[in-house]
Amino acid sequence: MYWEQEKECLARPELLQLQLGRLKKTLRKVGATVPFYRNAFSKLKLDPGKVKSLDDLHRFPFTTKQDLRDNYPYGLFAIPLREVVRIHSSSGTTGMATVVGYSKNDIANWSDLVARVLCGAGVTADDMIQIAFGYGLFTGGFGLHYGAERLGASVIPISAGNTKRQIQIMQDFKTTALVCTPSYALKMADVMMDMGINPNGLSLRFGLFGAEPWSEAMRVEINERLGIRATDNYGLSEILGPGVAGECRECNGLHVNEDHFLIEIIDPDSLEHVAPGEVGELVITTLTKEAFPVIRYRTRDLTRLLPEPCPCGRTFVRVNRMMGRSDDMLIIKGVNVFPTQIESILFDVEGTEPHYRLIVERENNEDKLTVMVEVVESIFFDAMKKQRAFMEMIKKRMASELGIGVDVKLVEERTLDRFDGKGERVIDKREL
Amino acid sequence: MRVEQIAVFLENKSGRLAEITTILADNNINIRALSVADTADFGILRLIVDDVEKAQNILKGGGFTVGKTDVLAVEVADKTGGLATVLRSLHSAGINVEYMYAFVNKTGENAVLIFRFERMDEAIEVLLKDGFTLISGAQICAL
Ligand SMILES: [Zn+2]
């Protein structure tokens, strides 16, 4: 099942030709309209007009998340704001957040690309899709919503949270396709058991899961417990949101929508391309984005190419499900969290370099983040009530700035090991 | 009128309290009164000692987080209702107690109540007006 068969099954030589044309146009556009790219290109004496092959892209500089932050909020937009019809943003305080924009055409393309992903998973216009991703600045909810509407399916825009109600609605409205994070799907299975609801008695057939890393073992568990076919899909707000890549019914890797995105896999240290099939960091260049084109964006997601042709007939290359991160970003309940965000909050309340440790666990299929903080004099109170109020204050600030609830545990000074690298401050106990 | 108290942050790990009292004893510091407020995860130990500066430095040097606060010490006869009369006086003046603890002096005749208030000056005024005896740190140590 295809959404746009002629595009999704385009012969490789024609696809590469299409990519080259779009790449040249994108490079010329950002070189002309975005000061950040203009400066970066001229520093390296790169002329977008002289690009002759897809390989020429490799001379162009990478774009990083920090570049996006440095240009907060609109510095990287390539069209005037009046032509921007939508803004999305990552969570975080000023200086940490990233902002992306969409033109009318971007939204139309986004809808089609998500429709492709839904179609690839087996969803059709006859399906009832329950979207349990958060709506709002996060791209997950709206991205899937627009794609599902484009497909002509019926959408239940329930958004995230309130698991019992999700299940009640799933039962009453006869949901056939569920969209959420894979861990939330397992949590739903748990709650169904508590509620005495047999998943086999529901109408549910498909699950489209993304926004966090998962494993084949989790897929098997979800399929068995919910009686569905779970497929993986991938996207990130810096590039588009959902719709960048998705699994077909083969459930063996995600087809990248290559007519809209050019991908590379690099060694995160040497920044050189890895051999086909080797694990490396995914780098994406957008080919059709108008409002927020990005050149060689370092996603920090680790994956590998699956170069063999797929039996489904799509010619778009597949990538392995995401295998990890090349930075210290954590994905907790589908929300991206950087230890530096937590560090800056602690720095702010302590007035000094904080010593902390982050513990990530999965309890009853739900992620849990515990922030262990060494107590220094500035945050130590002789009255228990004040000490507790202080902890509540940190929790509230973290919840509002990170977008997820955290636990805070106070520990004695000098009890947490001192590390050089920030990554080591994180202990991720989740076994996927 | 005020008495200096030190507070120490403690994780609820067995033996920590013993460690602190040992460190202080090894350095010839006398603990006159002690109280622990705790939760499942951590506790706050409060101490009245005969040498506040020294105790503070030694504990800090030992890696503990130490704070210093002023408290009030009220001496009452160690008999039924001693505490109640003090609390009644504070309550009728609208003064909230943040926390309190008590100990009995060596002769066993009087009890010393240690109070921490949000509004210390007002508390002093009220207690003196109602005829209670406030004692100093030096007096506590001399008991
Ligand atoms: Zn396929």
Side-chain angles (χ1 to χ4, degrees):
Chain A
M1 271 188 292
Y2 313 101
W3 177 243
E4 296 173 293
Q5 185 169 6
E6 71 292 355
K7 291 175 183 167
E8 293 173 72
C9 301
L10 194 63
R12 290 298 296 182
E14 284 167 58
L15 175 64
L16 299 181
Q17 206 51 48
L18 179 73
Q19 285 186 319
L20 179 60
R22 288 179 167 177
L23 175 65
K24 286 194 210 169
K25 197 176 156 197
T26 300
L27 288 171
R28 276 201 305 272
K29 174 85 180 174
V30 298
T33 57
V34 183
F36 166 79
Y37 288 114
R38 186 167 49 230
N39 296 338
F41 294 175
S42 75
K43 219 179 267 173
L44 294 168
K45 298 192 169 54
L46 293 166
D47 181 358
K50 288 190 178 140
V51 169
K52 294 279 178 292
S53 74
L54 289 175
D55 286 346
D56 288 346
L57 174 65
H58 306 155
R59 297 202 308 268
F60 283 76
F62 293 104
T63 306
T64 63
K65 184 149 186 105
Q66 192 57 46
D67 294 326
L68 268 53
R69 289 173 180 151
D70 292 346
N71 287 281
Y72 175 92
Y74 300 138
L76 295 179
F77 283 26
I79 58 172
L81 277 179
R82 83 185 110 79
E83 291 171 31
V84 171
V85 300
R86 177 81 64 73
I87 300 287
H88 280 285
S89 174
S90 68
S91 63
T93 43
T94 309
M96 293 302 285
T98 56
V99 178
V100 293
Y102 300 76
S103 69
K104 225 172 176 174
N105 286 333
D106 290 336
I107 295 280
N109 280 333
W110 191 11
S111 308
D112 275 322
L113 294 180
V114 174
R116 283 185 192 175
V117 169
L118 290 165
C119 242
V123 177
T124 70
D126 296 333
D127 279 295
M128 178 70 68
I129 307 184
Q130 182 162 340
I131 299 177
F133 271 146
Y135 281 65
L137 288 176
F138 171 60
T139 48
F142 278 105
L144 264 305
H145 183 102
Y146 276 69
E149 275 194 353
R150 182 84 180 96
L151 180 65
S154 313
V155 181
I156 307 170
I158 190 164
S159 197
N162 200 340
T163 312
K164 279 190 180 159
R165 184 160 167 265
Q166 296 265 3
I167 292 164
Q168 197 61 52
I169 280 180
M170 187 178 284
Q171 191 172 36
D172 296 348
F173 297 5
K174 301 189 168 34
T175 301
T176 59
L178 172 65
V179 172
C180 61
T181 59
S183 57
Y184 193 61
L186 283 175
K187 183 177 163 79
M188 279 189 173
D190 290 344
V191 177
M192 280 179 201
M193 268 172 64
D194 294 345
M195 292 167 76
I197 289 174
N198 179 0
N200 294 323
L202 300 173
S203 310
L204 204 60
R205 296 168 61 214
F206 305 107
L208 286 104
F209 304 122
E212 71 181 12
W214 52 317
S215 63
E216 203 50 40
M218 273 179 82
R219 188 203 315 260
V220 170
E221 189 183 348
I222 293 171
N223 287 350
E224 280 176 3
R225 295 187 59 192
L226 288 178
I228 60 172
R229 185 171 64 220
T231 50
D232 191 9
N233 69 88
Y234 172 77
L236 62 169
S237 67
E238 297 91 323
I239 295 298
L240 178 79
V244 174
E247 272 185 335
C248 62
R249 298 177 70 166
E250 299 294 322
C251 294
N252 186 18
L254 298 85
H255 288 283
V256 178
N257 281 314
E258 285 188 282
D259 50 343
H260 293 265
F261 308 103
L262 194 59
I263 65 162
E264 304 165 64
I265 311 274
I266 63 163
D267 178 322
D269 297 318
S270 71
L271 305 182
E272 299 293 327
H273 288 130
V274 299
E278 297 278 302
V279 176
E281 181 182 325
L282 179 65
V283 171
I284 304 178
T285 300
T286 65
L287 297 176
T288 55
K289 287 279 289 295
E290 293 180 338
F292 198 84
V294 194
I295 308 301
R296 303 192 84 194
Y297 184 70
R298 292 191 58 185
T299 65
R300 292 296 193 164
D301 287 313
L302 298 176
T303 183
R304 62 192 181 95
L305 284 182
L306 305 172
E308 302 79 27
C310 183
C312 78
R314 285 177 183 78
T315 52
F316 293 159
V317 74
R318 284 170 299 153
V319 291
N320 200 95
R321 70 165 75 247
M322 296 303 135
M323 303 160 84
R325 296 279 302 174
S326 69
D327 64 3
D328 56 2
M329 188 183 88
L330 297 165
I331 302 176
I332 296 164
K333 296 183 191 172
V335 176
N336 299 347
V337 174
F338 287 91
T340 45
Q341 289 175 285
I342 291 164
E343 187 168 315
S344 70
I345 294 170
L346 293 176
F347 187 90
D348 201 38
V349 297
E350 293 187 30
T352 173
E353 184 77 20
H355 290 293
Y356 65 98
R357 178 81 49 83
L358 306 181
I359 314 285
V360 194
E361 292 156 296
R362 187 161 284 171
E363 275 177 10
N364 304 322
N365 293 313
E366 207 166 356
D367 290 341
K368 187 178 148 208
L369 172 63
T370 305
V371 182
M372 294 174 78
V373 189
E374 281 188 14
V375 173
V376 292
E377 219 178 311
S378 63
I379 58 168
F380 173 49
F381 301 88
D382 58 313
M384 185 56 85
K385 215 181 183 178
K386 286 184 179 165
Q387 193 68 62
R388 284 224 178 112
F390 169 79
M391 288 169 74
E392 285 310 309
M393 186 272 288
I394 307 189
K395 283 189 199 174
K396 268 200 189 127
R397 260 194 79 170
M398 293 203 177
S400 84
E401 291 184 27
L402 305 175
I404 50 156
V406 305
D407 253 9
V408 173
K409 193 166 187 271
L410 300 177
V411 299
E412 287 175 21
E413 267 185 272
R414 280 173 269 187
T415 52
L416 300 177
D417 293 335
R418 298 292 183 256
F419 293 120
D420 299 333
K422 292 206 164 74
E424 292 163 309
R425 291 194 158 151
V426 178
I427 299 172
D428 199 334
K429 295 180 177 168
R430 290 176 292 188
E431 282 168 18
L432 301 183
Chain B
M1 284 305 158
R2 294 174 180 226
V3 176
E4 285 185 325
Q5 167 200 263
I6 58 175
V8 186
F9 178 83
L10 286 182
E11 266 178 72
N12 282 355
K13 291 188 287 201
S14 62
R16 286 305 263 170
L17 188 56
E19 253 176 79
I20 290 180
T21 50
T22 307
I23 293 174
L24 293 177
D26 288 349
N27 287 279
N28 298 317
I29 294 166
N30 239 317
I31 299 172
R32 298 300 311 173
L34 171 157
S35 101
V36 182
D38 62 354
T39 66
D41 293 327
F42 68 91
I44 300 168
L45 168 68
R46 301 154 192 145
L47 298 165
I48 308 276
V49 295
D50 57 358
D51 192 337
V52 175
E53 291 300 317
K54 193 174 165 194
Q56 205 178 357
N57 289 335
I58 283 165
L59 290 174
K60 272 187 185 171
F64 290 96
T65 306
V66 186
K68 194 166 79 176
T69 29
D70 285 348
V71 291
L72 295 184
V74 183
E75 194 174 20
V76 291
D78 187 25
K79 57 178 190 199
T80 318
L83 171 61
T85 54
V86 181
L87 290 177
R88 218 174 299 130
S89 147
L90 293 165
H91 180 74
S92 57
I95 291 175
N96 285 325
V97 177
E98 281 203 305
Y99 56 81
M100 69 143 309
Y101 51 102
F103 66 100
V104 177
N105 71 10
K106 280 178 193 151
T107 61
E109 285 164 11
N110 288 336
V112 178
L113 309 174
I114 306 288
F115 284 98
R116 169 72 198 174
F117 304 102
E118 191 109 31
R119 288 140 49 201
M120 290 287 275
D121 291 334
E122 270 179 66
I124 292 172
E125 212 175 292
V126 168
L127 290 168
L128 290 177
K129 186 176 61 92
D130 288 352
F132 292 103
T133 311
L134 293 180
I135 58 175
S136 68
Q139 283 172 294
I140 289 178
C141 295
L143 285 175

